[in-house]
Amino acid sequence: GAVVSQHPSWVICKSGTSVKIECRSLDFQATTMFWYRQFPKQSLMLMATSNEGSKATYEQGVEKDKFLINHASLTLSTLTVTSAHPEDSSFYICSARADRGREQFFGPGTRLTVL
Amino acid sequence: SQQGEEDPQALSIQEGENATMNCSYKTSINNLQWYRQNSGRGLVHLILIRSNEREKHSGRLRVTLDTSKKSSSLLITASRAADTASYFCATDGGSSASKIIFGSGTRLSIRP
């Protein structure tokens, strides 16, 4: 299957700082990318859907000003957690899809710990 | 938001036994997928079953889909210690939303 990478794989930051997570499709062009959050021992919760060149669509309850998503190219989407707080500590996973109806490929995830 | 529930939430069985996990969902789907996740790791795609399919096999995995009941099951036969993981079903609406929504997951433990 296609490969999706995430960087960094883990990050520790101080409360109040901003953290950027990158999601890249390595061998295909991703028209749509998805961002998920997973708290310990819980399922993946969809945060937002981003299409290349347009604004992201956020799920209900997700603050768009806190979780900034940029999908500037067909191979890269970024998630910036602004003014991170300990409650934002979580496992963030992205996925990428080439075209509607085609398979999504998941990245390995980024573990964020906010002190 | 989550699409539905998985049952059981946790399952512990002896190595060699079969493990069955169930998934229920709420809306119409284009396909349903099952994923495995080892603790603290990324997702591994196991199998995809389309809405017009009723059963699918892949190695020791058997998936069924009942769209009238909005439910699916994953059967792992002859379980191994390496099967210990969390298992999630995920549905793809296929229409205007076309986004994958995950179920609550089943934590499977295989006792040696």
Side-chain angles (χ1 to χ4, degrees):
Chain A
V3 179
V4 175
S5 69
Q6 283 185 239
H7 178 79
S9 56
W10 59 270
V11 57
I12 301 173
C13 69
K14 292 182 179 180
S15 185
T17 60
S18 294
V19 175
K20 180 185 284 188
I21 302 170
E22 294 184 349
C23 176
R24 293 183 186 272
S25 56
L26 299 186
D27 49 5
F28 69 100
Q29 293 186 324
T31 55
T32 306
M33 287 186 171
F34 304 84
W35 287 96
Y36 295 83
R37 179 170 54 184
Q38 184 181 33
F39 292 109
K41 296 187 178 181
Q42 293 188 25
S43 186
L44 283 76
M45 301 295 290
L46 180 65
M47 298 175 68
T49 302
S50 73
N51 292 294
E52 186 266 338
S54 61
K55 289 184 179 180
T57 302
Y58 290 81
E59 295 298 304
Q60 192 172 12
V62 178
E63 300 174 58
K64 62 180 181 181
D65 294 330
K66 180 168 183 62
F67 299 99
L68 302 179
I69 292 173
N70 183 283
H71 191 166
S73 79
L74 286 171
T75 59
L76 173 65
S77 176
T78 60
L79 167 67
T80 300
V81 183
T82 62
S83 186
H85 291 282
E87 57 266 31
D88 299 322
S89 297
S90 187
F91 194 50
Y92 291 87
I93 302 176
C94 74
S95 69
R97 185 182 69 201
D99 296 301
R100 181 185 294 273
R102 299 187 68 171
E103 186 178 347
Q104 284 190 25
F105 299 96
F106 285 83
T110 296
R111 184 159 304 283
L112 169 64
T113 302
V114 185
L115 302 177
Chain B
S1 60
Q2 277 185 287
Q3 169 68 288
E5 297 297 319
E6 288 184 58
D7 162 50
Q9 290 188 345
L11 177 63
S12 179
I13 61 173
Q14 202 72 33
E15 191 169 17
E17 294 180 339
N18 296 340
T20 299
M21 289 159 273
N22 302 296
C23 164
S24 61
Y25 57 92
K26 299 174 182 174
T27 62
S28 60
I29 61 171
N30 187 47
N31 63 62
L32 185 145
Q33 304 177 57
W34 284 90
Y35 291 85
R36 185 184 72 219
Q37 184 182 37
N38 289 83
S39 181
R41 307 293 292 274
L43 294 171
V44 175
H45 183 261
L46 296 176
I47 196 165
L48 179 152
I49 185 166
R50 302 192 185 284
S51 59
N52 60 353
E53 297 176 308
R54 291 297 168 257
E55 188 171 310
K56 204 163 183 179
H57 297 255
S58 176
R60 294 185 295 115
L61 305 180
R62 173 179 170 252
V63 168
T64 63
L65 178 64
D66 187 333
T67 53
S68 67
K69 295 181 179 178
K70 290 187 168 57
S71 67
S72 174
S73 68
L74 170 67
L75 168 68
I76 303 174
T77 60
S79 63
R80 304 168 182 170
D83 295 329
T84 294
S86 290
Y87 292 81
F88 298 94
C89 67
T91 54
D92 185 340
S95 56
S96 59
S98 198
K99 52 191 178 184
I100 289 184
I101 303 297
F102 284 81
S104 53
T106 294
R107 291 191 304 278
L108 175 65
S109 297
I110 308 299
R111 304 189 301 271

